[in-house]
Amino acid sequence: MGKIGRNEQCICGSGRKYKHCCLLKQQAGLTPRSPEQTFKVSLIQEIELIQQAAVEGKHKFKELGVFILFSTTEGDAWLLEITDSDGVQLARNGVILDVPIDQNPETIEINWTHTFAITNRAFEITAYADRSVQILSGYPTREINASMKRTKKKFTAEQLSMVHLKTEQQNMDMPSA
């Protein structure tokens, strides 16, 4: 990789010149983060905040790109992804659960445990493990629906389709042209 000039546009995507952006951070001993790394840190921080709100029995709701994070006053917390309606529980009855996120610098890999749907104003989940279905009450279904509509307006269908990367197994299962 070539060396970036001081007066060239910064590689972090800020739109500023390198000398006024990441060069200063580098000289101060701080390493600049890529937008993907910044987003990943933000997601992990938001997960921790939502989990803490669940432990404290506080209702909290947060949109972050294609993700929705929420906690309930009963101590539950969830991370939802709207493009495939995937979800993973982050806290149950005020107890923090392990977050199945792979710490990879290029991608964010989450081991989703459920799919979700809003049916008749109820939050419905289906477990991937055994296909069992549960209806959970007291969840912010209106906020989730509104957030999903906002996100689908904010991003094009093409952008939303690029959220998920195909795994090697999925690529092998695809018919060749």
Side-chain angles (χ1 to χ4, degrees):
M1 183 170 149
K3 189 174 179 181
I4 185 165
R6 292 172 39 83
N7 290 316
E8 291 180 38
Q9 192 170 6
C10 191
I11 57 171
C12 76
S14 67
R16 298 169 55 194
K17 287 185 178 181
Y18 179 69
K19 67 182 178 183
H20 294 298
C21 191
C22 288
L23 177 63
L24 296 173
K25 294 174 190 171
Q26 187 179 28
Q27 290 171 343
L30 303 172
T31 55
R33 289 189 175 126
S34 69
E36 292 83 10
Q37 290 169 324
T38 303
F39 182 77
K40 185 175 182 179
V41 168
S42 298
L43 180 60
I44 291 170
Q45 287 172 343
E46 290 300 329
I47 287 171
E48 290 169 355
L49 290 172
I50 288 292
Q51 287 175 319
Q52 190 56 43
V55 168
E56 296 169 3
K58 294 180 182 176
H59 169 76
K60 188 170 180 176
F61 191 90
K62 176 78 177 187
E63 293 177 35
L64 187 62
V66 295
F67 297 110
I68 298 171
L69 299 101
F70 70 90
S71 63
T72 67
T73 55
E74 292 80 23
D76 291 348
W78 284 82
L79 169 64
L80 308 176
E81 190 275 319
I82 69 153
T83 62
D84 281 350
S85 298
D86 286 321
V88 63
Q89 193 165 16
L90 306 173
R92 182 181 303 120
N93 297 324
V95 177
I96 293 175
L97 303 174
D98 287 332
V99 182
I101 294 181
D102 181 20
Q103 303 285 338
N104 184 327
E106 288 86 29
T107 59
I108 299 171
E109 293 183 39
I110 301 170
N111 186 16
W112 301 106
T113 57
H114 295 80
T115 60
F116 75 93
I118 307 296
T119 332
N120 298 326
R121 299 183 189 154
F123 188 77
E124 181 180 297
I125 59 167
T126 304
Y128 277 121
D130 60 5
R131 306 306 298 162
S132 63
V133 177
Q134 286 182 290
I135 306 285
L136 304 173
S137 60
Y139 280 33
T141 55
R142 269 207 206 134
E143 289 174 282
I144 293 168
N145 264 335
S147 177
M148 289 171 59
K149 287 178 184 176
R150 275 192 301 274
T151 302
K152 288 179 180 178
K153 283 182 183 177
K154 203 181 314 182
F155 299 104
T156 66
E158 183 181 351
Q159 289 172 319
L160 291 173
S161 71
M162 295 185 317
V163 169
H164 295 279
L165 298 175
K166 292 190 186 321
T167 63
E168 290 297 319
Q169 184 62 39
Q170 289 172 323
N171 286 334
M172 289 189 298
D173 292 342
M174 298 272 304
S176 56

